[in-house]
Amino acid sequence: MSLPAFSTQSELFSTAALSGSLFAPTDRYRLFAQKVYPRLAATRTLLEECYCLNNGRTAVEPVLLMGVSILQELDGMPDRQAAEMVRYHAGWNFALNRQLGDEVFHPTTLVTFRNRLNEHQQSALGFKTILDALEEVGLVSRQSRQRLDSTQMFGRVARMSRLDCVRESVRLALQELEPVVQPEARPLFWGGLWERYVESQVDYRTGTETLARKLVEAGTDAYQLLGWLKTQQPSPWEEGQQVKLLARVFGEQFEIGSGTAAPLPKEKETIQADRTPEPAQAGEAATSPIESASLPSPPPSAQAASEADVSAPKPPAEPELVLGTVQPKDKKEMDSDRVRNPHDPEATYATKGQGEQRKEHVGYKVQVAESVSEATLAPGEPTRNFILGIVSHPAYESDEAGAQKMETEQAAMGLEKPPVQYADAAYISAAQLAAAAAEGRELIGPAPKAPENKDGRFTTEQFQVTVEERKAVCPAGKENTQCSRLVEEETGKVSFRFEWSSHCAECPLRAQCVGAKQEHRTILVGEYHSALQTRRQEQKTDAFKERMKHRNGIEGTQSEMVRGHGMRHARYRGLAKTKLQNYFIGAACNVKRWIRREAWQIKQAMSAPAAPGTAAATI
């Protein structure tokens, strides 16, 4: 698709020429046209890489589409309404440097534009462009104090039970295979599966035993279908997306044990009863392009059929299955990244909080990093803080993993590690505190609480431990007698065990310290316990609590992005499209804060008294 000629010059009868009486100096559309649009126009060289310059019909100007994508996040509008605003709204046309009578575009053009950005790894282009502009005008520094927190994001899918997920996966696989697998090539059990999963639904008013039996039935049917696919000659439909997804869901939800082959009642057939299978060519192996690691082995009946002598025509055999071989896995054996809804396999399950504060969702997790200005604001002055990073990742991943991805993203955008970073307890660990100290940075946040002993004995927190010197002092003031360094073979994790072998026998605090079945007290701490212990003591001081107030502002920022820009719910399916949505939200949030600050400065300049003997400044 070729690109049109691009110009940033306004014509005589453009909205820019008529803007003097329509848009005040502090109007946000005027400021967008003056501050933001030139920055977006400078990205056209990068946007050109998403198009074929000299082939195909002329495309809609990508700079215009980039500006529309940010404006629709500013005003909270879907694609169709955004296209209407470009047609009728004078402010939008002025902000985007459009001329009166310019051709408009269909709303699906915005969908195609977003797909182009994703296909060419340019999803962060809009966000990075605004961030670079803020740095150029001095509102953002490459190395600045930051605060970091995460929030949940619901995927654009419904929550499904295990039975729903398996049945829907089978249905989607059948619908994918139906137009490409000819009727004469379909197995005898095809009609029964089609009726059970495409034309019927489960009655959920039945008891739990019936639903559990239907889960086994769905797993057995999936096993039979996948086993049949494996015995077929190589064909394109074996590589179908939904077939691969069904194989993944089956592997996540079920396990295969031993059993004996037994015939099942004949299913409803959609083929002629006198059809005979076509014989295989001599020397050809009935292998599948789908690797055996991704599909289960076929039932013995299907294996026997593929290995039998097919030189003479034979009537189709009744379908057989290995009864008792397919069993649902226990929930404790299932991975946290398993498919929850086949319509968006990347939307995963996660929980947050405990008790009444516990929240569950299927979707994604979003990390938001914001700059922290410690300067006192004047009355009515807009914030000086801006979004420095926004990372979308699977919901099951921890906040520490999200913080690592944030660090990688900011490095790619030219930002350095923050000298001071404010976070909550989810980001604080002994290893993270030690790593930050080694780099000369501060990681400000409460340390996780020490585990409590159920019998009320002294906890590890009440011992003064200096791991570097292999010393520890118990609540009675006694120093340890032994210290052992332990290394886990699988993970390489290092721990230290401190013992008080000769001090506990006659200690007056023995009842509060040593267990009934213990001879003396021992404690086990990690390699970086000293940093953790220091933080637990520090966080009790008033000075630390005062510093932690800088973290609280991230809660308001997340509320702004959720309530004002719709970040709580994904508008698209898939992690890549969700990332793009959040990048545009972050760009729109920064643009809004930038414009408000520019408008405030203009008002301050207009209201400032003129110096004696000088004319008033004009804007």
Side-chain angles (χ1 to χ4, degrees), residues 162 216 220 253-257 323-330:
R162 295 179 64 181
V216 176
T220 303
Q253 299 278 358
F254 300 95
E255 55 188 2
I256 304 172
L323 298 181
T325 60
V326 178
Q327 293 295 331
K329 291 182 180 179
D330 187 89

Side-chain angles (χ1 to χ4, degrees), residues 254 273 278 299 484 540:
F254 300 95
E278 297 181 1
S484 305
K540 298 177 182 179

Side-chain angles (χ1 to χ4, degrees), residues 401-419:
Q404 292 294 326
K405 292 186 175 182
M406 176 65 73
E407 182 179 318
T408 302
E409 179 193 270
Q410 291 186 333
M413 293 187 179
L415 299 180
E416 301 178 11
K417 292 184 179 181

